[in-house]
Amino acid sequence: GAGVSQSPSNKVTEKGKDVELRCDPISGHTALYWYRQRLGQGLEFLIYFQGNSAPDKSGLPSDRFSAERTGESVSTLTIQRTQQEDSAVYLCASSGGGLAGGLYSYNEQFFGPGTRLTVL
Amino acid sequence: AQSVAQPEDQVNVAEGNPLTVKCTYSVSGNPYLFWYVQYPNRGLQFLLKYITGDNLVKGSYGFEAEFNKSQTSFHLKKPSALVSDSALYFCAVRDTGFQKLVFGTGTRLLVSP
């Protein structure tokens, strides 16, 4: 597609329920990122996928959070047993870069519109 | 560890006046620096980046940023502000050898007519 898309745009759930958030990156982009933005705060890195390499999960806040990516396309972020502190906007980004000749790409990341998650 | 600081929560400027949004960074290697803008209810949009080379970087919508290694700063500037520039601006840095971006807390720019 023309840009990164995310669904749903809004999600309201009850505490303790599981939620799945979806991200469709820009076609051809090998790198995909998930970030969390709490109200009035900056972006917090969650997880990074690069091609077939093992994902960088260093930002996931707890084992309730997990993410998968199918090849170099769609990614799903799953939050199990949601808590009120999980309420935030979850942003997905993709970039066209990747490991090439041992050098990291310096390409900018393109962001989706986000999913606003509200846990009651 | 890499970090970014945006010391101002909000910047107010009159339309037509020059604007500056401040950003300082801390990295262990060579910094790769980015500015993004976020309009209400929309995702982040890329404005400009510094990787290497000329310290003055020009970006979208008439914005530019100056990389200053000695002061570890990467301030965003525009010679003449527009009301439509009112938005939330984020500075971000990526350290050598890392892929994830570390973002500042954001600066709200308010341009008054």
Side-chain angles (χ1 to χ4, degrees):
Chain A
V4 178
S5 60
Q6 293 185 244
S7 61
S9 55
N10 280 285
K11 177 71 177 179
V12 180
T13 190
E14 294 179 349
K15 178 182 174 181
K17 301 280 189 182
D18 298 351
V19 295
E20 278 191 358
L21 312 180
R22 177 189 168 104
C23 171
D24 282 88
I26 292 173
S27 178
H29 278 187
T30 57
L32 187 147
Y33 310 76
W34 283 97
Y35 294 87
R36 178 169 70 178
Q37 185 178 23
R38 289 189 164 127
L39 186 64
Q41 298 186 24
L43 275 72
E44 176 187 4
F45 167 78
L46 297 177
I47 188 169
Y48 156 64
F49 295 91
Q50 174 62 60
N52 294 319
S53 302
D56 175 358
K57 303 179 182 180
S58 60
L60 294 179
S62 77
D63 59 7
R64 295 187 295 106
F65 287 71
S66 63
E68 293 183 349
R69 187 180 185 193
T70 306
E72 293 186 349
S73 60
V74 172
S75 176
T76 302
L77 177 68
T78 301
I79 309 174
Q80 296 178 311
R81 306 181 302 282
T82 52
Q83 304 294 313
Q84 288 183 333
E85 64 260 27
D86 299 335
S87 296
V89 176
Y90 288 82
L91 292 164
C92 175
S94 69
S95 72
L99 290 174
L103 297 176
Y104 287 91
S105 165
Y106 313 126
N107 291 337
E108 60 271 21
Q109 296 174 21
F110 294 86
F111 283 80
T115 294
R116 183 176 298 278
L117 175 65
T118 303
V119 182
L120 302 176
Chain B
Q2 45 190 349
S3 66
V4 168
Q6 293 182 246
E8 304 153 316
D9 290 336
Q10 182 163 312
V11 169
N12 298 305
V13 64
E15 187 173 33
N17 284 357
L19 69 88
T20 299
V21 182
K22 295 180 181 177
C23 171
T24 58
Y25 65 89
S26 175
V27 299
S28 55
N30 292 321
Y32 305 123
L33 294 152
F34 302 78
W35 275 101
Y36 286 83
V37 60
Q38 187 176 36
Y39 296 100
N41 300 316
R42 295 175 64 177
L44 273 70
Q45 294 180 31
F46 168 76
L47 277 180
L48 51 80
K49 67 182 177 184
Y50 171 83
I51 303 299
T52 187
D54 199 349
N55 289 344
L56 184 64
V57 179
K58 293 189 183 296
S60 307
Y61 313 121
F63 283 92
E64 58 189 28
E66 186 169 10
F67 172 67
N68 188 317
K69 188 172 183 178
S70 63
Q71 297 185 4
T72 61
S73 67
F74 190 57
H75 301 332
L76 182 70
K77 300 181 179 185
K78 187 173 183 181
S80 179
L82 300 173
V83 173
S84 57
D85 292 330
S86 298
L88 190 56
Y89 290 81
F90 289 97
C91 180
V93 66
R94 191 164 74 210
D95 203 346
T96 310
F98 292 89
Q99 279 289 357
K100 68 180 185 184
L101 284 177
V102 174
F103 284 82
T105 51
T107 298
R108 187 165 300 282
L109 174 65
L110 185 60
V111 182
S112 54

